[in-house]
Amino acid sequence: MSQFVSACRRRLLLAAAAVASVSLFALQPAQARSLEEIQASNKIVFGVNPTMPPLGLFNDKNQIDGFDVDVARKIGEMLGVQTEIVHVGSPDRIPFVSSGRIDAVLGAMTITPERAKVIDFTVPVHTEVLGVLTTAAKPYQNWTDLNDSSVRLVEVRGATPVKFVQENLPKAQLLLLDNYPDAVRAIAQGRADAMIDVMDFMTEHTSKHRVDWRIVQAPIDVYFCAIGVQQGNDALRTRLNEIIKELHANGYIDERWEKWFGGPMLHDPRSGPTYQ
């Protein structure tokens, strides 16, 4: 895992720009629960994507677990309420929080201008690095090598890299699948040549295939990931910001990251322009 983590750690992932935006219109928006209402109900509801280990995964009891769950439960504890974890996927997580079906959402919620049009973000919880996953049989040395009509890229529907590929690698073929296990399997089976995403999350999936995996050495970019809440839910967002900053200051987030990822976070979330 150390090879994956050291190769790429400032990351990306999943912006439900096109698909999630379309799905959003299909839902009738409802007023999000306020911080006062959450505390009165003695429960905060977090959406977590369990197909992005180690951020989110199913444990041996078939319960959603991982870094995001630890952070969500710690936040609930600091709010003095119980934490309910709801299963969300890449395409539906933004519609869920925008429609008030959940109070907040985790799961590689990269802060992007597109997402900021439909939800509000807290200060960053963690950072990750966007990179290229391929195999030793492929010659790619830089992500720009993928901009070729002979290259078959696979991406997860609703994820941030989809727009990146469409805008920066228009010549490449693009296969969209619904989740990470299927996307990685497509490369293992030879149905795709490479995938652009955050390499921190690939180990769990690549380890299931007897393939000589390779990460292109040069990373693409650094991403800042936060908690998403419904637009205008300012009291909740402000309180979450206070808690996140405290969890950075007391080392809880770093400790949980090392537990789940097997090494330290490579880029400090507090260094970004969105950390206020």
Side-chain angles (χ1 to χ4, degrees):
M1 172 161 193
S2 59
Q3 179 182 357
F4 281 73
V5 173
S6 59
C8 292
R9 165 56 109 268
R10 316 167 257 174
R11 96 127 277 224
L12 119 83
L13 243 196
L14 321 178
V19 174
S21 297
V22 172
S23 300
L24 187 60
F25 292 116
L27 293 171
Q28 185 66 33
Q31 184 63 41
R33 297 197 304 159
S34 67
L35 175 62
E36 185 176 281
E37 290 170 330
I38 288 170
Q39 292 174 322
S41 72
N42 194 37
K43 180 177 71 174
I44 185 169
V45 182
F46 272 96
V48 172
N49 187 343
T51 68
M52 298 179 60
L55 283 184
L57 52 88
F58 285 109
N59 61 25
D60 56 6
K61 296 181 180 179
N62 204 34
Q63 298 170 330
I64 301 178
D65 205 348
F67 172 84
D68 283 343
V69 173
D70 282 357
V71 171
R73 295 198 187 284
K74 188 65 173 179
I75 289 173
E77 176 187 318
M78 295 177 72
L79 285 174
V81 302
Q82 300 296 312
T83 300
E84 178 181 339
I85 304 298
V86 172
H87 180 169
V88 298
S90 298
D92 60 21
R93 57 195 173 149
I94 290 179
F96 268 38
V97 75
S98 295
S99 64
R101 294 180 65 176
I102 56 178
D103 298 314
V105 63
L106 286 154
M109 287 300 300
T110 310
I111 301 171
T112 68
E114 292 81 6
R115 287 175 173 170
K117 293 176 182 177
V118 291
I119 63 173
D120 288 339
F121 287 101
T122 64
V123 295
V125 175
H126 63 90
T127 55
E128 298 153 350
V129 172
L130 186 66
V132 178
L133 175 68
T134 186
T135 66
K138 303 301 178 182
Y140 319 126
Q141 298 300 314
N142 192 287
W143 67 268
T144 55
D145 296 340
L146 303 176
N147 193 30
D148 189 288
S149 60
S150 66
V151 174
R152 299 165 299 173
L153 292 178
V154 62
E155 300 295 340
V156 174
R157 201 184 315 274
T160 300
V162 174
K163 183 178 180 182
F164 178 87
V165 169
Q166 292 170 336
E167 292 182 347
N168 297 281
L169 303 169
K171 295 180 181 179
Q173 303 172 49
L174 179 58
L175 171 64
L176 295 177
L177 298 177
D178 288 332
N179 57 64
Y180 283 86
D182 287 347
V184 172
R185 186 180 301 111
I187 300 175
Q189 294 174 342
R191 294 185 291 121
D193 300 314
M195 177 180 182
I196 290 179
D197 213 292
V198 180
M199 298 300 101
D200 307 61
F201 304 100
M202 296 299 105
T203 307
E204 174 73 13
H205 306 304
T206 56
S207 64
K208 292 179 171 59
H209 304 280
R210 304 180 74 175
V211 174
D212 193 1
W213 297 103
R214 180 173 70 89
I215 293 176
V216 173
Q217 186 172 2
I220 297 173
D221 209 346
V222 178
Y223 293 87
F224 292 83
C225 300
I227 295 173
V229 300
Q230 192 181 81
Q231 278 191 334
N233 202 350
D234 296 333
L236 176 59
R237 182 172 60 86
T238 297
R239 182 67 184 114
L240 291 177
N241 281 344
E242 294 170 351
I243 292 174
I244 292 167
K245 289 179 179 180
E246 184 173 346
L247 295 180
H248 279 303
N250 66 22
Y252 180 84
I253 287 177
D254 285 340
E255 187 272 327
R256 291 290 91 187
W257 188 272
E258 291 204 32
K259 173 187 182 294
W260 287 103
F261 285 83
M265 203 179 303
L266 299 184
H267 195 90
D268 189 347
R270 294 167 288 188
S271 67
T274 58
Y275 198 91
Q276 302 173 355

